[in-house]
Amino acid sequence: MRLTLRVWRRKDTRAPGAMKEYEVDGVTPDMSFLEMLDTLNERLTLEGEDPVAFDHDCREGICGACSLVINGDAHGPERTTACQLHMRSFRDGDTIDVEPWRAAAFPVVRDLVVDRSAFDRIIQAGGYVSVPTGAAPEAHATPVPKAAADLAFEHAECIGCGACVAACPNGSAMLFTSAKINHLNVLPQGAPERETRVLDMVGQMDAEGFGGCTLTGECATACPKGIPLTSIASMNKEWLRANRKVSRG
């Protein structure tokens, strides 16, 4: 396949950015999107040009580093990560726009690379789970209902890629934050910090400058791991409960 790529290029945080057009030939349907970018970068390097900077790590849909907006969609036209998006999703002669995440809380560092450390700070605000020290506890010492375990695992699947933020018209991080809160709050091991966790993490989310949630649902549609929109409702319920308890205390 022969494709036309229009890629966002920005040398650093001080330089202005702009879309630059490239022709990429010899693309096979079985290539991943990142392998296609590798092909472009090999050519640019041989021609003495700076390669396109983009984030990646595992290339197995696990780490969430491959944050790209492809033709206006977070991670592209398929519900998966960009590293698992294959070029068979496109046709010969297509023009493809490739941009970084667009959110005030995710500043562009260079080209397609954004700073997502705001997510790290939200997680850090949640603190730790109180557990006894010493020898490993008996596995059945704290019974966990299957429904709670299933719900916790569902939310723990969040890989923190930021697609929810990129897809949201408000740049909201509610789906990410709710996933990180709910996967601990539904378990008995997370009960001691239940109130402080939700208040601190939501407070940090707001402090990072993410937009407000209006439940448009684009976040859940774009999420490659299928975190449900109901996660946000559960977090709101936890926040109201914790805020009411703190106010009375």
Side-chain angles (χ1 to χ4, degrees), residues 7-230:
V7 183
W8 178 260
R9 302 300 307 264
R10 184 180 183 184
K11 188 174 182 180
D12 53 45
T13 55
R14 293 165 295 181
M19 300 294 279
K20 189 168 182 180
E21 189 169 298
Y22 302 97
E23 298 293 327
V24 185
D25 206 354
V27 178
T28 65
D30 292 331
M31 279 184 176
S32 73
F33 199 86
L34 298 193
E35 287 172 334
M36 182 273 297
L37 289 179
D38 288 338
T39 300
L40 169 63
N41 280 344
E42 287 175 7
R43 195 194 81 204
L44 293 178
T45 301
L46 291 173
E47 294 174 353
E49 293 188 44
D50 288 336
V52 177
F54 61 93
D55 270 329
H56 64 93
D57 191 1
C58 72
R59 298 204 177 198
E60 295 178 350
I62 298 171
C63 70
C66 51
S67 47
L68 301 176
V69 173
I70 302 167
N71 283 344
D73 294 322
H75 289 311
E78 306 291 337
R79 191 175 185 180
T80 186
T81 52
C83 64
Q84 294 296 296
L85 176 67
H86 290 86
M87 299 312 296
R88 53 180 168 265
S89 298
F90 304 92
R91 295 177 296 179
D92 185 33
D94 276 356
T95 297
I96 305 174
D97 291 339
V98 190
E99 303 171 81
W101 285 166
R102 299 291 190 180
F106 289 161
V108 177
V109 178
R110 179 174 180 175
D111 294 343
L112 305 175
V113 179
V114 300
D115 180 359
R116 293 178 298 164
S117 59
F119 272 7
D120 297 328
R121 290 187 290 272
I122 292 174
I123 293 174
Q124 290 165 2
Y128 300 92
V129 174
S130 294
V131 293
T133 57
E138 168 61 38
H140 299 293
T142 306
V144 180
K146 187 178 186 306
D150 289 345
L151 190 60
F153 274 119
E154 181 180 33
H155 289 93
E157 286 191 73
C158 171
I159 56 177
C161 65
C164 53
V165 178
C168 177
N170 305 322
S172 172
M174 288 284 276
L175 193 69
F176 164 80
T177 307
S178 65
K180 297 304 177 184
I181 288 171
N182 291 329
H183 94 260
L184 292 176
N185 277 20
V186 299
L187 296 173
Q189 292 87 344
E193 294 84 16
R194 185 173 177 178
E195 287 83 16
T196 56
R197 180 181 298 113
V198 65
L199 293 175
D200 291 344
M201 291 181 74
V202 170
Q204 186 64 41
M205 176 189 70
D206 291 339
E208 294 293 341
F210 290 101
C213 175
T214 51
L215 287 177
T216 59
E218 291 298 322
C219 54
T221 300
C223 177
K225 296 302 178 180
I227 306 300
L229 193 63
T230 52

